[in-house]
Amino acid sequence: MLAIFQKQVAHAPQELNSPRGSTAKPRNPDEILRDFHAAHPADAFSTSFGGGAALACVAAQPRSLAAGGYQRMFCGLDDIYCVFMGTLDNLSSLMRQYGLTGRSTNEALLVIEAYRTLRDRGPYPADQVVKDLSGSFAFVVFDNRGRSGSGAAVFAAQSTDGGVPLHWGVAADGSVVICDDRGVAKAGCGRSYAPFPPGCMFHSEGGLKSFEHPMNRLKALPRVDSEGAMCGANFKVDAFTKINSMPRVGSATNWAATWDDAAI
């Protein structure tokens, strides 16, 4: 999986940017996309959007599950697109919760419906909705129009167990890069890459937040690679710093408001 979002769509946390000047130079989005296809020449596919976004995925391979791999899915509905990796153990109960029927419903479609419910109707905090997803997973949602055509939006998350690998970083032009292939992410982002923090979610309007511990702030810890150079940042829950805000419920006008007081 590869997702690239230019700065007009999403901004990476400032702490993810490492000082330039090393031999590991970040690449431009087009180069990173070509690297992904080169790494998976037989079964990778991608789509680009005019607003400054690109999504790529490796086609599902049944043998990957038998070999201890994970499911890969890509789907789109009403101009909302989801790349999903992994499995939801409670898919059937979530389908009933969101009023979905039919054998064609899979994890990616379920995540799209959950996102759309949050965006348009749901008064529930986003962290609670993601916390209700039981399993080992990572996903990226790209909303090409946003609520009422207000603009594109990005929503990404990784399960608390970190069982499905996910990395992110910053490309040469400042684009956010999210990828399950460590080699592609590292080569594309240079020093400005790091593992995506398990148990966290990222939204283009609200930034990064822990859905496992939504009332705690996140703390950025500098990463140092084997050569002793700064390399992105690890984000950890700060157990001693609480978010000083009242929970917002009952408002469907801006579900991203649950992030407002959760800045790192």
Side-chain angles (χ1 to χ4, degrees), residues 26-44:
R27 300 181 181 179
N28 289 316
D30 288 346
E31 297 174 298
I32 298 172
L33 189 58
R34 285 198 296 267
D35 288 345
F36 184 82
H37 279 282
H40 309 279
D43 49 7

Side-chain angles (χ1 to χ4, degrees), residues 37-256:
H37 279 282
H40 309 279
D43 49 7
F45 60 93
S46 62
T47 181
S48 297
F49 302 87
L55 298 175
C57 187
V58 176
Q61 296 289 342
R63 64 179 180 274
S64 66
L65 292 177
Y70 44 85
Q71 294 186 99
R72 298 179 178 91
M73 306 174 192
F74 175 86
C75 67
L77 181 66
D78 296 337
D79 231 6
I80 303 173
Y81 303 87
C82 177
V83 183
F84 184 97
M85 303 180 301
T87 304
L88 293 179
D89 299 330
N90 59 340
L91 178 61
S92 296
S93 62
L94 289 171
M95 287 173 58
R96 291 192 296 271
Q97 177 179 331
Y98 288 100
L100 299 175
T101 58
R103 294 183 179 180
S104 61
T105 300
N106 58 24
E107 281 87 344
L109 282 170
L110 186 282
V111 168
I112 286 177
E113 185 60 31
Y115 166 83
R116 187 166 57 175
T117 299
L118 279 168
R119 185 195 66 179
D120 297 341
R121 303 187 301 275
Y124 308 107
D127 55 82
Q128 183 59 55
V129 172
V130 180
K131 192 182 294 185
D132 285 344
L133 306 179
S134 176
S136 186
F137 61 84
F139 66 79
V140 176
V141 172
F142 175 61
D143 184 350
N144 198 24
R145 291 183 297 178
R147 188 178 190 276
S148 301
S150 60
V154 176
F155 184 39
Q158 184 186 34
S159 58
T160 57
D161 65 352
V164 176
L166 197 63
H167 306 271
W168 67 337
V170 184
D173 66 346
S175 296
V176 179
V177 177
I178 305 175
C179 188
D180 69 321
D181 189 319
R182 178 180 178 272
V184 171
K186 183 176 181 179
C189 301
R191 300 291 186 191
S192 297
Y193 99 100
F196 192 90
C200 289
M201 56 188 183
F202 172 76
H203 188 266
S204 49
E205 293 182 8
L208 184 68
K209 180 180 178 181
S210 169
F211 64 81
E212 188 179 18
H213 303 284
M215 296 309 296
N216 291 85
R217 294 186 182 275
L218 291 174
K219 179 168 58 176
L221 303 175
R223 295 178 69 240
V224 179
D225 65 11
S226 58
E227 300 175 1
M230 299 291 293
C231 184
N234 288 322
F235 295 89
K236 303 290 185 182
V237 172
D238 187 348
F240 302 101
T241 306
K242 297 288 185 179
I243 297 172
N244 185 23
S245 66
M246 293 293 292
R248 304 184 184 196
V249 296
S251 172
T253 59
N254 181 13
W255 68 269

